[in-house]
Amino acid sequence: MNPTLEMQPSISLEVRGLRKSFDGQPVLRDVNLFVEPGEVFVVMGPSGSGKSVLLKHMVGLEVPDAGEIRLNGEILHELGSLSQYRVGMVFQSGALLNSLTVGENVGLYLSEHHLGSSAEIAKIVAQKLKIVGLKDIEHKFPSELSGGMKKRVAIARALVIEPQLMLYDEPTAELDPLMAVVIAREILRLNQTTHSTTIIVSHDRELAFGIADRIAIILEGSILVVGTPDEIRSSSNPLVQSFITASVSKDRIDV
Amino acid sequence: MFHNIGEMLVLFWRTIRAWRNCWSQRRKILDQMFEIGNASLLMACVLSLFLGGVIALQSGPVLRDRGLVSLLGGLVGLSVAKELAPVMISVLIAGRIGSSMAAEIGSMKVYQEVDALRTMNINPTHYLVLPRMVGILVMLPLLVVLAVLSGWFGGALVAANNAEIALSFDGYFNNLRQVVDVNDVLSGLCKSVAFAAVIGVVSCHQGLITQGGPRGIGRSVTKAVVNSIVLILILDYFLTRLLMIFDR
Ligand SMILES: Nc1ncnc2c1ncn2[C@@H]1O[C@H](COP(=O)(O)OP(=O)(O)OP(=O)(O)O)[C@@H](O)[C@H]1O
Ligand SMILES: [Mg+2]
């Protein structure tokens, strides 16, 4: 049996008192979050507010200056304790391995962990690529793809892991509106079929309000507000309102 | 450079402990071996041909003046096998292969590919460092053997063709065979194994600690090459001293 198809219980994620600065410049100041098992949790916030840094802490790629991350109540000190969970992460930049083809990238998890023959892996790879709307590009190299295609390949690569905890950094940022909807549906479907805990960082308000169970808005390194989409929409906080309703229209620009 | 030596030793130790993964990484190991051989075989032989040649050229006339030219084969043979081939080929490989290791791993670090490996639970030491380490540990001594042979040959060519030396091929190689022992070649190979480990560890370590963008990669490459060469030359002295003890 293919061990990747085993269902495993989803996990909760807790962030407590997280602080991080780079070269004396504080990026995260006291972040506290609790993400329920199986929840779709969206983190929104302006550019440079520390969203990507927060996400990296959640998978142990950055070490906190203070505070802790807990997966199912266990402290995530170092990577060692991550290996007992299956975690998928879609990096903002995609982070595909440039020396490998698309097919090898998507199948990397399976081939490195010896989860299946090469024919089986090729089949899973094709199937996951199809989910993100890509076909017959297994033999291309990442440098031959557009930004949005790279992002979709990165999503396919994370889908292969069939993760219990799935983190997306700006999954729809480089996609056209139609593809963004397709990806949003896939994120939801993955969440519903595998009950994976899903954390999404995004500026995409439609995505956030469309699929989130709860939304957090992060501003200058601390959480401004957490709530369901309805609670966020009806928030009386002017910062929240300006962030979620900001829009451009030609006749409103003061010259 | 020296404050990183602790980290490098840790990386080396982790790589050694990962030896069991050699089999599962065999394709990447073979790729690395091919790349090293392909990039450097010809260069190493040509370099060494001239090394042997220049020693013969420098010392041949001096020996002839004193009536000792029959010792030239042994002189060139020993200096190439014990010192020049291992050190010079290692320096060459530090420049060619060390730089590309640091650049490859460094760009993977900068573009978050190493992070991506970690999230997929793929150990970068197994995936990136081990194949490169094994590749260079196997290939460098091999290159050194070939370089020793071509260095000897280069010395013979010069000895036979230079009018001031005029020592026949037979005369040269007869003396070489008398003087040079298998142990002399082996001691050169021992050194080259140590130098290979230095190049592999220093370059992979530099790659993995790369920060920033393209400029950071450039800095890592320079450091990898310079630090490898410096360490090789320092280590060379102490290894020579150590091997002298065993020679007795
Ligand atoms: N490795 C690092 N070294 C130094 N500073 C960093 C590092 N990573 C992030 N930063 C800083 O942390 C801050 C937050 O970065 P982060 O990437 O988390 O922003 P973000 O919220 O994801 O923004 P965006 O929406 O544009 O992706 C930025 O000011 C950035 O300069
Ligand atoms: Mg970001």
Side-chain angles (χ1 to χ4, degrees), chain A residues 77-197:
Chain A
H77 260 316
E78 48 173 36
L79 262 136
S81 56
L82 190 63
S83 58
Q84 55 186 300
Y85 300 111
R86 273 217 293 264
V87 176
M89 167 119 171
V90 177
F91 286 82
Q92 191 163 10
S93 61
L96 300 176
L97 271 63
N98 281 305
S99 56
L100 301 185
T101 62
V102 167
E104 288 167 336
N105 260 293
V106 177
L108 189 64
Y109 180 83
L110 301 177
S111 58
E112 280 301 309
H113 295 288
H114 310 289
L115 302 170
S117 68
S118 51
E120 286 164 358
I121 292 176
K123 216 176 100 196
I124 296 175
V125 166
Q127 177 206 339
K128 301 296 178 190
L129 281 173
K130 197 171 149 228
I131 289 178
V132 295
L134 295 170
K135 209 167 77 178
D136 296 330
I137 60 157
E138 280 95 330
H139 298 291
K140 290 199 175 177
F141 282 92
S143 58
E144 299 168 280
L145 305 181
S146 74
M149 286 163 89
K150 279 186 204 165
K151 193 54 115 356
R152 283 186 277 159
V153 172
I155 293 173
R157 182 173 71 177
L159 293 180
V160 164
I161 301 172
E162 306 201 339
Q164 299 160 278
L165 172 65
M166 184 72 164
L167 303 141
Y168 302 87
D169 199 344
E170 311 271 6
T172 57
E174 288 148 312
L175 304 180
D176 59 89
L178 286 179
M179 190 41 78
V181 170
V182 170
I183 294 296
R185 280 205 197 113
E186 275 317 314
I187 291 173
L188 261 191
R189 189 162 77 190
L190 180 77
N191 169 260
Q192 281 162 4
T193 52
T194 66
H195 304 289
S196 57
T197 310

Side-chain angles (χ1 to χ4, degrees), chain A residues 62-77:
Chain A
E62 297 275 3
V63 182
D65 291 344
E68 60 197 28
I69 313 287
R70 283 167 181 267
L71 296 182
N72 268 358
E74 285 173 89
I75 299 181
L76 174 76
H77 260 316

Side-chain angles (χ1 to χ4, degrees), chain A residues 22-23 27 45-54 62 92 170 203:
Chain A
F22 289 108
D23 314 316
V27 171
S47 180
S49 53
K51 305 184 296 294
S52 298
V53 173
L54 175 63
E62 297 275 3
Q92 191 163 10
E170 311 271 6
H203 304 291

Side-chain angles (χ1 to χ4, degrees), chain B residues 148-161:
Chain B
V148 166
L149 294 177
S150 75
W152 288 350
F153 184 67
L157 274 184
V158 171
N161 292 312

Side-chain angles (χ1 to χ4, degrees), chain A residues 228-243:
Chain A
T228 62
D230 287 335
E231 287 166 3
I232 298 285
R233 253 190 232 107
S234 55
S235 162
S236 55
N237 189 324
L239 287 169
V240 174
Q241 280 307 322
S242 69
F243 188 76

